[in-house]
C-alpha cells in the first residue's frame, strides 16, 4: 500500500495539495496514510473480518477479541469494497491522518474533533468525502475523474502517474 501522493492521478494529487494547504491554514496538519492499492492489497483488506482476522468487534459496548464472538468469528470488516471496487485501485482516492490541530478548535457538525473541518475543506476542493457515507469513513477522500466505477473497471488498466 502506498502513502505517496506520487501514486495518485495527477489531478487528484493537486487536489490533495490544496486540501492539505486549506487545512494547514486553519491549523490542522494532515498526512497521507494510504493512496494507491493494488487489487491484491484490496483483496487482503476485504478478507479482514470475512476470512482473515479483522479488528475486535465492539457491539453492545463490549470489546470482543477475534475468535470470541459467535456473530463475528473473524472480528469486524474494514471495507465494503471487494477487489476492483475501490477508487484507491484507480489512483483516485486517498486516506489522511490528522497529525495535529489547534486545542481551541470548535468541532463542526456531528463529528468529533477536527474531522468535520477536514471533511468540509476536502469537499470545498471538489472531493467526495467518506464521512458522508452510511458507514462513515472519515479519513477517506475520492474524486472520480469524470468516470463511473463501471467505466474505471472496464478500462481495466490503471493509468500511469507523473511519477512514471
Ligand atoms: Zn461480534
Ligand atoms: Zn480510503
Amino acid at each position: 500500500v502506498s502513502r505517496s501522493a506520487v501514486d495518485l492521478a495527477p489531478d487528484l494529487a493537486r487536489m490533495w495539495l490544496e486540501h492539505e494547504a486549506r487545512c494547514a491554514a486553519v491549523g490542522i496538519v494532515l498526512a497521507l496514510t494510504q493512496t494507491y492499492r493494488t487489487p491484491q492489497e484490496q483483496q487482503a483488506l476485504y478478507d479482514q473480518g470475512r476470512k482473515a482476522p479483522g479488528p475486535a468487534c465492539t457491539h453492545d459496548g463490549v470489546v470482543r477479541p477475534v475468535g470470541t464472538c459467535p456473530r463475528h468469528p473473524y472480528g469486524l470488516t474494514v471495507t465494503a469494497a471487494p477487489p476492483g471496487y475501490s477508487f484507491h485501485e484507480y489512483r483516485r482516492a486517498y486516506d489522511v491522518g490528522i497529525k495535529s490541530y489547534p486545542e481551541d478548535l470548535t468541532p463542526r457538525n456531528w463529528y468529533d474533533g477536527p474531522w468535520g473541518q477536514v471533511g468540509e475543506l476536502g469537499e470545498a476542493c471538489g472531493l467526495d468525502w467518506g464521512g458522508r457515507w452510511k458507514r462513515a469513513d472519515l479519513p477517506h477522500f475520492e474524486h472520480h475523474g469524470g468516470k463511473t466505477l463501471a467505466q474505471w473497471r472496464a478500462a481495466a488498466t490503471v493509468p500511469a502517474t507523473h511519477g512514471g
Side-chain angles (χ1 to χ4, degrees):
V1 176
S2 173
R3 59 173 61 193
S4 170
V6 171
D7 290 318
L8 296 172
D11 63 321
L12 183 59
R14 286 192 292 272
M15 296 171 92
W16 150 248
L17 289 177
E18 185 188 345
H19 187 196
E20 181 185 36
R22 287 195 189 206
C23 287
V26 297
I28 301 171
V29 180
L30 297 183
L32 289 172
T33 58
Q34 289 201 10
T35 56
Y36 171 62
R37 289 180 200 148
T38 65
Q40 291 76 18
E41 288 165 339
Q42 187 66 30
Q43 179 75 59
L45 275 184
Y46 186 73
D47 287 347
Q48 284 187 40
R50 292 185 174 87
K51 55 184 189 179
C57 74
T58 56
H59 53 83
D60 309 325
V62 181
V63 178
R64 296 177 183 79
V66 172
T68 64
C69 176
R71 261 168 65 192
H72 305 101
Y74 290 100
L76 297 182
T77 59
V78 296
T79 179
Y85 291 84
S86 168
F87 280 96
H88 284 282
E89 296 170 81
Y90 305 103
R91 304 183 187 276
R92 303 236 38 115
Y94 62 79
D95 303 328
V96 299
I98 297 169
K99 290 175 76 173
S100 64
Y101 62 96
E103 269 179 39
D104 61 350
L105 181 122
T106 305
R108 287 178 67 79
N109 60 56
W110 56 93
Y111 294 104
D112 289 339
W115 280 113
Q117 277 92 337
V118 172
E120 288 177 10
L121 289 169
E123 289 173 331
C125 299
L127 295 154
D128 293 329
W129 177 33
R132 303 288 183 201
W133 296 349
K134 197 168 146 196
R135 181 179 166 178
D137 187 354
L138 298 176
H140 178 97
F141 294 85
E142 63 185 39
H143 183 273
H144 300 177
K147 285 189 198 178
T148 64
L149 183 59
Q151 288 170 326
W152 283 112
R153 285 175 54 71
T157 52
V158 176
T161 70
H162 52 83

